[in-house]
Amino acid sequence: MSEFGGRAKKSKLGALFAQDQQWKESGNTSLKYSSQPPPAAAASAKSSAAAADDAPTKVIHAAAINLIQYDASRQGTSLGTRGLAIIHTLATRLYTLVCYEPQSQKQECSASVNENFSLTVLAGGGKFAAFYDDNQQYWAVKLNSDEQVEQLCQAVTMVKHAHIQLWKFNSEFATSLQWCDIVPSPSDQKGVGKGDYAKVKYTMHLCSAEHPKGLGTLVGSVDTRTDKSKPIKVGGGKELVGIEQGLLGMSKGGTRFLVVPPNLGYGAAEAGAIPPNSTLLVTLSVTNVKYKEEGGKKKEKQADPEQQQQQVAQEEETAAAAPPPPAAAPPPPAAAAADEETAAEQGSEESRKRDLANRMAKLSQGAGMGAMGMPGIAAPAPAAAASSSSS
């Protein structure tokens, strides 16, 4: 198991912040930390407490911070400059994050760094990170640089992994991904999901006890913005499982630190400079995202069912308002002309017959016979007159 650098010390950690270059440059060398006895030892005899106080400890991480304490209503009060340390008590095999007043060595807060511990870097770029201590008190620390934020996130994540390997090696935690957001993804952007494509850049190191930050040999570096690597399809199986899992929920602009156990990395296989069963440390950033509903071939827009019903109703209304089609097609021009000529001839014949009947009626009046309706003499009907005339 890697201890991420540092050496075992007893009681006084006089050189604690000498490891922190930025604090060293500030000229303050008064920060020291004395490891405190665990609660059980504190309740026992003074000799037992003294023995516990002298228990060997190992400094995992150290930094100078500004400490902020929050009350139940989340109103913060700055306590000023404090020391922050992550220590490993070798006798108990427990990891603890402590914040304390450097002169009096008074401990302000203490949080067990285990599988349940969570460090949250606050959005907004203010270099704030927040956590709950063992008493469920909410705290925030303000760091001095982006580099310090990254180092604290790396240390907490690696310590969680180390604790799990010590205490939870038979649980699902032992094979699970551990991560911490160094730069939170923007909250107004949709997080990456399965099937989405992400352009990323990342560096991959081996987990090493020799390196002071716990980051061993650089074994991989990818930047899909500049090289020929294709964007990663999340869930596509073309990338390490640990990296694909680590991308979930991220969005453009976010940076996340991952501790990838062997089962989510290369496993028992040797991959170039990566030995078998290696734990990998990955710093992963998302530079762009192409969501699955936006990518691929352009899909035809499907009509809304309600719009389809409205369109059908409009077509039916238009059909009802249209005039009915003619019962029979009109005759061709030649047939129409022939019909007109036949009608004219029939009209001329009828007119000739009426003229003939009128002349016969006048002749009857001139002869003094039944034209005035005298008995015994009947005037012929026009049709009869026409018939007799033609004969």
Side-chain angles (χ1 to χ4, degrees):
M1 181 203 69
S2 170
E3 287 295 342
F4 321 118
R7 292 176 295 178
K9 300 177 183 293
K10 287 189 177 182
S11 186
K12 300 291 183 179
L13 301 178
L16 182 63
F17 288 97
Q19 297 175 3
D20 189 317
Q21 185 62 29
Q22 291 183 336
W23 182 258
K24 186 177 179 181
E25 291 175 355
S26 70
N28 192 328
T29 59
S30 64
L31 289 178
K32 299 180 181 180
Y33 176 71
S34 297
S35 58
Q36 303 298 314
S44 65
K46 292 183 179 180
S47 59
S48 299
D53 187 56
D54 288 336
T57 58
K58 193 169 188 179
V59 180
I60 306 300
H61 180 75
I65 49 91
N66 188 285
L67 184 63
I68 303 162
Q69 182 179 20
Y70 287 85
D71 58 23
S73 61
R74 288 294 179 94
Q75 296 297 315
T77 301
S78 176
L79 303 183
T81 301
R82 294 292 188 268
L84 179 150
I86 300 177
I87 61 173
H88 182 201
T89 304
L90 302 182
T92 61
R93 300 195 303 171
L94 296 177
Y95 296 88
T96 310
L97 183 151
V98 294
C99 296
Y100 58 94
E101 202 285 323
Q103 298 298 330
S104 67
Q105 297 283 292
K106 177 185 176 183
Q107 192 175 106
E108 303 283 5
C109 65
S110 174
S112 299
V113 183
N114 52 35
E115 70 276 8
N116 298 317
F117 180 78
S118 177
L119 180 76
T120 303
V121 175
L122 304 182
K127 304 177 183 66
F128 289 93
F131 61 91
Y132 285 93
D133 67 10
D134 290 341
N135 296 319
Q136 294 303 302
Q137 171 74 49
Y138 188 69
W139 300 85
V141 297
K142 186 179 188 305
L143 297 122
N144 297 320
S145 67
D146 293 332
E147 182 181 4
Q148 280 192 340
V149 174
E150 180 176 2
Q151 290 173 358
L152 178 59
C153 290
Q154 290 173 343
V156 166
T157 311
M158 289 188 289
V159 164
K160 287 180 64 175
H161 173 76
H163 169 87
I164 289 170
Q165 299 306 308
L166 274 174
W167 295 98
K168 303 288 182 180
F169 55 89
N170 285 329
S171 72
E172 61 181 8
F173 291 108
T175 56
S176 62
L177 183 74
Q178 301 299 319
W179 56 270
C180 182
D181 282 328
I182 299 172
V183 179
S185 295
S187 59
D188 60 345
Q189 296 187 26
K190 180 181 176 182
V192 172
K194 288 187 177 181
D196 295 335
Y197 291 83
K199 286 190 174 182
V200 303
K201 62 176 182 178
Y202 66 80
T203 56
M204 180 185 296
H205 293 80
L206 296 177
C207 191
S208 170
E210 285 71 32
H211 195 282
K213 295 181 183 179
L215 301 180
T217 305
L218 178 67
V219 292
S221 179
V222 170
D223 190 343
T224 57
R225 300 174 305 169
T226 57
D227 59 25
K228 296 181 180 180
S229 301
K230 294 182 179 180
I232 296 174
K233 182 181 180 181
V234 180
K238 298 294 182 65
E239 187 55 78
L240 291 181
V241 175
I243 292 179
E244 290 191 7
Q245 288 186 5
L247 280 169
L248 294 173
M250 295 185 70
S251 58
K252 181 180 178 181
T255 300
R256 181 172 287 178
F257 180 71
L258 314 174
V259 177
V260 182
N263 62 293
L264 301 180
Y266 291 99
E270 182 176 357
I274 303 175
N277 299 313
S278 292
T279 296
L280 304 174
L281 310 176
V282 179
T283 302
L284 174 67
S285 298
V286 175
T287 60
N288 204 359
V289 179
K290 191 172 186 179
Y291 300 102
K292 58 184 176 182
E293 60 265 24
E294 299 174 359
K297 296 181 179 180
K298 188 175 181 181
K299 298 180 180 179
E300 295 182 0
K301 186 177 179 181
Q302 296 182 352
D304 185 88
E306 184 176 353
Q307 292 179 348
Q308 288 180 334
Q309 292 178 358
Q310 292 177 354
Q311 183 177 357
V312 171
Q314 290 176 355
E315 291 176 354
E316 291 177 351
E317 291 177 1
T318 303
D339 290 345
E340 291 177 358
E341 184 177 353
T342 301
E345 292 177 352
Q346 291 177 349
S348 176
E349 178 67 19
E350 291 295 332
S351 177
R352 188 179 64 80
K353 290 179 179 180
R354 283 195 298 272
D355 291 341
L356 179 59
N358 290 334
R359 287 198 299 269
M360 291 179 67
K362 290 179 181 180
L363 289 174
S364 299
Q365 290 175 359
M369 298 184 299
M372 302 301 293
M374 296 300 290
I377 303 293
S387 177
S388 60
S389 172
S390 60
S391 59

